[in-house]
């Protein structure tokens, strides 16, 4: 589908005329730095050229009408500025409605309702941030229509606030930040403790970024994601009895070795071990990339997966099989699970002339093992959310 076709669907559902505008917000992939964002560490995501499109128009009453061309059977979902509550029957629309709610909570004046038709080419539940894309997209639409004068960082924070408090997923800031602040051919080296960031060029003349979708879907709201946050928080509380830190991301590997025995629970210890080590890996990985040392970057990606599998325990059998198969393919520089975990996608850096063989070997092995057809995306790094028409 293209923007013109989406606009035709909008007109079909909501009628022609008026000030109809078009917007785009990307998906994202995190190259390294997983489950570090809410632990005060660093992440290294980039925006993708796949994402979510919206066609929207203001109304002159307080009614909100939302339609997803991806989920046609749900039909038009109708709500109101006077009833912004999370309801099961609102289905996917709880994400945009949560952003409306969050903006009003933050003191913004949304003076009227609106109509919005969306379509995305991010696989739902893949771990490529379809929810954050939809949240930042909605914030971008409302910011433009109602002259809210919010920065893109503000809109990222509003998206996170809505997901935490309206939709019940205690996510960190990384996903919304990457969607809002993406820059073509660059990843974002973001310190989640204070939101300071630098763009790092990711031009790989001899390699491609390949995302493999396991087709094993997850919902972070219903999964063990919130448990991991609570376990990390308990580890931090134990560590604070022996050292003056406010986040796990403040510790080096050596400092964790020194103070880690203060963590009473063995599971919480492993969660903290991952958070500290992953943060240090991310810092080293960006340094390696800046030095054009792609081999070291790849080794750190591999180590990241092992840590996510063994210490943070957010992988699953199918994704582990994919990654281990990917490691065995000649020309693979590095591969790991990406996203919140419990299914979803892997991200790999693959030499240009090895990409076709990579798809063939991995796809065939995965089909034989699980009777599932993995999906492969050779991705480009794109810009953040914006109005496009």
């Amino acid at each position: 589908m293209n923007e013109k076709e989406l606009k035709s669907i909008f007109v079909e559902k909501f009628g022609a005329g008026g000030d109809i505008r078009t917007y785009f917000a990307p998906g994202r992939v995190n190259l390294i730095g997983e489950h570090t964002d809410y632990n005060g560490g660093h992440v290294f995501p980039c925006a993708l050229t796949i994402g979510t499109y919206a066609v929207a128009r203001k109304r002159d009453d307080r009614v909100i009408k939302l339609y997803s061309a991806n989920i046609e059977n749900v039909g038009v979902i109708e709500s109101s500025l006077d009833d912004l509550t999370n309801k099961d029957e609102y289905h996917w629309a709880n994400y945009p409605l949560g952003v409306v709610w969050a903006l009003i909570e933050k003191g913004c004046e949304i003076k009227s309702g609106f109509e919005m038709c969306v379509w995305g080419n991010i696989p739902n539940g893949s771990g490529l941030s379809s929810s954050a894309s939809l949240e930042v997209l909605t914030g971008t639409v409302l910011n433009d229509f109602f002259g809210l004068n919010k920065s893109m960082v503000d809109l990222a924070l509003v998206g996170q606030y809505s997901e935490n408090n309206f939709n019940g997923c205690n996510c960190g800031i990384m996903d919304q930040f990457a969607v809002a602040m993406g820059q073509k051919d660059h990843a974002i080296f973001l310190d989640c403790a204070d939101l300071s960031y630098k763009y790092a060029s990711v031009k790989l003349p001899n390699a491609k970024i390949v995302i493999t979708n396991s087709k094993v879907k997850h919902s972070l709201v219903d999964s063990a994601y919130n448990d991991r946050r609570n376990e990390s928080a308990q580890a931090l509380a134990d560590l604070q009895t022996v050292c003056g830190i406010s986040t796990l991301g403040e510790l080096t590997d050596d400092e964790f070795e020194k103070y880690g025995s203060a963590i009473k629970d063995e599971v919480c210890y492993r969660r903290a071990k991952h958070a500290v080590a992953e943060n240090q890996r991310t810092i080293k990985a960006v340094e390696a990339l800046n030095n054009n040392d792609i081999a070291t970057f790849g080794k750190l990606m591999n180590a990241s997966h092992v840590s996510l599998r063994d210490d943070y325990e957010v992988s699953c059998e199918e994704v582990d099989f994919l990654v281990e198969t990917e490691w065995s393919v000649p020309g693979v520089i590095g591969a790991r699970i990406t996203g919140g975990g419990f299914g979803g996608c892997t991200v790999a850096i693959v030499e240009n002339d090895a990409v076709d063989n990579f798809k063939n070997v991995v796809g065939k092995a995965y089909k034989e093992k699980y009777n599932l057809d993995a999906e492969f995306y050779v991705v480009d790094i794109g810009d953040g959310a914006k109005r496009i028409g």
Side-chain angles (χ1 to χ4, degrees), residues 126-139:
S126 61
L128 300 179
S129 290
S130 55
S131 59
S133 180
L134 187 52
E135 288 157 358
V136 174
L137 179 70
T138 306

Side-chain angles (χ1 to χ4, degrees), residues 283-298 300:
I283 294 167
K284 290 171 188 167
V286 175
E287 191 179 317
L289 190 65
N290 287 336
N291 292 329
N292 292 316
D293 184 357
I294 305 302
T296 295
F297 191 97
L300 290 161

Side-chain angles (χ1 to χ4, degrees), residues 59 61-66 77-87 90 93 96-98 100-101 104 110-114 166:
R59 293 176 61 90
D61 55 18
R62 296 179 65 78
V63 173
I64 299 169
K65 292 186 176 183
L66 302 165
I77 294 169
E78 185 169 323
S79 182
S80 160
L81 290 172
D82 301 313
D83 182 27
L84 291 170
T85 51
N86 185 306
K87 296 179 181 177
Y90 288 161
L97 291 172
V100 181
W101 171 85
I104 293 170
I110 309 293
K111 295 176 182 175
S112 69
F114 61 98
F166 193 88

Side-chain angles (χ1 to χ4, degrees), residues 250-270:
E250 293 172 35
L251 292 176
T252 64
D253 292 326
D254 288 344
E255 288 166 339
F256 182 73
E257 192 75 29
K258 181 178 177 181
Y259 297 118
S261 58
I263 303 170
K264 300 177 183 71
D265 181 82
E266 185 265 337
V267 171
C268 294
Y269 175 87
R270 284 190 285 113

Side-chain angles (χ1 to χ4, degrees), residues 153-212:
V153 173
D154 291 336
L155 294 182
L157 289 164
V158 164
Q160 181 199 16
Y161 184 83
S162 72
E163 187 148 346
N164 291 171
N165 298 290
F166 193 88
N167 282 302
C169 181
N170 206 12
C171 64
I173 188 59
M174 174 183 69
D175 295 350
Q176 292 83 0
F177 198 98
V179 170
M181 299 295 290
Q183 190 176 100
K184 182 175 167 57
D185 294 330
H186 290 76
I188 307 168
F189 184 43
L190 172 65
D191 184 342
C192 297
D194 61 8
L195 297 190
S196 60
Y197 64 95
K198 293 177 183 172
Y199 290 105
S201 176
V202 186
K203 287 188 176 174
L204 306 170
N206 303 312
K208 294 278 191 290
I209 298 169
V210 183
I211 296 169
T212 306

